[in-house]
Amino acid sequence: MQLLTTGLVRRVEGFLDEILASKDILGGGSNDLEKEVEMHSAIEIILRRSRNKRLLINRMPTDIIHLIFSFASSHSQIHDPSTTLIVLGEHRKQIFIMRCVCTLWNDFIVSGSQYWQVINLRTPSGIIQSSLKRAENAPLCVYSIENKDRRSKEVVQLEATEKYLLDSITHIRTIRSEEPRFLPLWKALLKQSTPLLETLKLTARNDWSGLGSNFPIAEWLVNDLPIIRNVTARGWQPSPDAIWLGNLRSLAFRAPMLISSNLLNALTRCTGLLKLRIEGDGDDSWQADATAQPKPSKIAFPNLQILELELEPVVYIRYLVRQLEVPRETHASLRLVHLPHSEELVEDLAYFICPPPPDGAKSIKPPSTATVEVHTISNHNILAIYISGTRSVAFKIDPLNQWPDQPTFEHIITTINGRLNKPQISVQVDPHSGGQAEVLRILADLNCVKSLCISNKVSDQCYLDMLIAAIADPCEFLPSGISVPGEQFWPFEALRELIFENVDGASSEVVKLVGKRWRYLKASKGRWLDRVVLKGCLGGLSLARTGTNLEGMGVELFVDGCKYSEKD
């Protein structure tokens, strides 16, 4: 091999000397050295191209190469409605990077129509024109993402872009935009026939106030969209008369969005939905246009798999919860910005978690267990989530500043639990603020809390100490108002399992926690914890000491799912 290489080097050097000595190629003049350098560069390019033609990639079937390039550029996510606009931008960057690898890759990508499907409206119109030409008949994804850089001075040529897109309108499969300045472009496109349009997401923060139910975008969508499947609207609503509503599989209304009779009547046409999301905000008055149809009493979604409701005016509950009929196996979630302010709305929450069976159907036994998750949003605001089976209700609460006339969080949980036939509750807490300890005190006298889990890394030891105190320390009265002079009350009397997950030093804390109540239990011959579970907890007492101490107080220790024994 070495002799072959040496001989090859001599032949190449002789060949180069012959070329460089040729007056026909270099010519005469004072810049012979500069011309020789240019000649070497040209020869390098020729040799590199010759080498590239003999690489393995050129011996592979073209379809295989396309699959590899498509995988590298996340091609399969282009028309996925769950793909973020940032991912679409990264796809374009990846295509550009791959083109810069070598001339061979660049030529291959330029010749492939599938690599030019993503059109960013904020690029110059000339680039849009060339991309559309290269895309040929490939299904197009046209998008624009809001530019939050105020220093940017980019100029968008709407008229030229509109002309190029109108020529390719029959190939547009996805339209996604969050910028108001492109609304004239969408008006021009959507008024035309778009037979291939499958996903439409217009989420620009535009001011539609004062228009009632006469949303301009709804007027543009008068044509039939035969294969439309996914629509996301921010601030605007489709017309209830749109014939394409029955084609939808996914529909989302993003805030700002007023719940109106127009919206509810449009939902009655969406019988094929698999996923529905509604974010309702604005004032709490009922929005009914004088020319609109009456509000429907029931809206059925026989095939719905996912239902997500996020409501700011709590009164919106009464317009949606009892009107929407979905299968019991539907994963349904309801998130409220505020606690409900009336007993009627609390009953609506219970109805959402456990709706009655349809007329003529057999009664279904509710789940025997439920979960309450407590998460920190800010120093004062806590997100509490009640989960039962496939249903959940979330509340954003400030446990330190509740309105005195509001039903307490404890009362809401009690009402829901009553409808579910009092299931055993598991409480999960991540200690990142003092507000979570206050939530535990609110739940302290619920006799159905059987399991409590403290999870995630503790940001501050004082927050963990506050949780321990809320669980183990006696108090003179409970949140329900029960108080007997001279007597103390112990929280969470029904608690049987305590779990620490990824909480460093938990082995020491749990011994102190159980020990606080041990004397009381021993004197009253009462029963409390049966077992303590440690998962991924580091530091603190040795497991041997922890197990021995807990065993002496009648509590079993489990570590990472297995019962601890000193013999192990």
Side-chain angles (χ1 to χ4, degrees), residues 449-451 493-498 527-531:
V449 177
K450 302 294 183 181
S451 176
E493 288 281 9
L495 192 65
R496 297 294 177 262
E497 180 183 57
L498 183 60
R527 180 191 174 196
W528 195 44
L529 284 179
D530 292 330
R531 62 187 233 159

Side-chain angles (χ1 to χ4, degrees), residues 202-431:
L202 300 184
T203 56
R205 292 186 176 275
N206 197 57
D207 185 11
W208 303 111
S209 61
L211 296 177
S213 60
N214 300 316
F215 297 99
I217 296 180
E219 296 176 359
W220 306 340
L221 295 170
V222 295
N223 294 312
D224 186 19
L225 305 174
I227 67 169
I228 190 73
R229 294 294 180 269
N230 312 288
V231 169
T232 299
R234 183 191 295 277
W236 62 275
Q237 301 169 10
S239 168
D241 300 326
I243 59 177
W244 49 265
L245 289 172
N247 301 332
L248 294 179
R249 297 297 176 266
S250 173
L251 177 60
F253 293 107
R254 302 285 301 278
M257 182 65 64
L258 296 176
I259 306 299
S260 64
S261 56
N262 178 81
L263 183 145
L264 296 183
N265 280 291
L267 289 177
T268 60
R269 303 290 297 274
C270 304
T271 55
L273 281 181
L274 301 178
K275 180 177 180 179
L276 173 62
R277 178 176 179 84
I278 300 177
E279 300 174 9
D281 65 353
D283 57 50
D284 59 1
S285 60
W286 172 247
Q287 300 296 315
D289 190 273
T291 61
Q293 302 174 14
K295 178 171 66 72
S297 58
K298 295 293 180 181
I299 307 173
F301 300 107
N303 303 313
L304 198 66
Q305 298 176 0
I306 300 175
L307 172 63
E308 298 173 344
L309 303 177
E310 187 169 339
L311 309 177
E312 183 171 338
V314 182
V315 294
Y316 279 170
I317 298 174
R318 67 184 60 169
Y319 304 134
L320 290 174
V321 168
R322 296 183 183 268
Q323 278 72 28
L324 303 182
E325 291 186 344
V326 301
R328 292 189 67 90
E329 59 270 17
T330 298
H331 288 266
S333 62
L334 170 61
R335 180 167 176 168
L336 303 176
V337 178
H338 307 289
L339 285 172
H341 51 70
S342 70
E343 192 68 28
E344 179 185 1
L345 295 178
V346 173
E347 289 294 333
D348 287 337
L349 296 183
Y351 181 96
F352 179 82
I353 285 288
C354 186
D359 295 338
K362 295 182 179 179
S363 60
I364 301 175
K365 184 179 180 181
S368 58
T369 59
T371 301
V372 175
E373 296 181 359
V374 184
H375 304 283
T376 299
I377 300 179
S378 63
N379 289 335
H380 297 291
N381 287 321
I382 299 296
L383 182 67
I385 310 174
Y386 186 99
I387 305 172
S388 176
T390 59
R391 304 294 179 101
S392 66
V393 176
F395 317 89
K396 190 171 76 171
I397 59 176
D398 184 351
L400 302 178
N401 296 295
Q402 288 198 61
W403 293 101
D405 58 340
Q406 284 183 322
T408 63
F409 176 63
E410 178 195 12
H411 172 64
I412 295 173
I413 299 299
T414 302
T415 302
I416 296 176
N417 248 32
R419 177 175 286 271
L420 293 175
N421 200 20
K422 299 181 180 180
Q424 297 182 3
I425 290 183
S426 172
V427 178
Q428 298 180 7
V429 185
D430 51 350

